[in-house]
Amino acid sequence: MTLLGLEWYWWLVIVVVLVIAIPFKIKFMKWWSRREQEKRKGQHGKWGDEE
């Protein structure tokens, strides 16, 4: 059985990789967002306190 030219087991491999990769991507995006917020806070506090 083939679907779009790939055997069924390749589709299974693709689905497994996506199921594993998507939570890691979400976790990375949340971490990156927190990192950027902390970086912005650090810059604001650093320059805002000197006056």
Side-chain angles (χ1 to χ4, degrees):
M1 183 178 126
T2 61
L3 182 63
L4 298 175
L6 293 177
E7 293 292 333
W8 66 270
Y9 51 86
W10 286 115
W11 286 110
L12 185 63
V13 169
I14 291 169
V15 168
V16 168
V17 168
L18 287 175
V19 165
I20 292 171
I22 288 172
F24 282 109
K25 180 177 179 179
I26 292 170
K27 193 171 186 176
F28 175 78
M29 294 299 287
K30 286 181 180 178
W31 171 81
W32 187 262
S33 175
R34 257 187 279 125
R35 181 176 172 265
E36 291 295 315
Q37 283 179 350
E38 288 173 4
K39 194 185 287 187
R40 272 188 250 124
K41 278 185 193 174
Q43 287 178 349
H44 178 70
K46 180 179 167 183
W47 297 109
D49 292 342
E50 290 185 5
E51 289 185 22

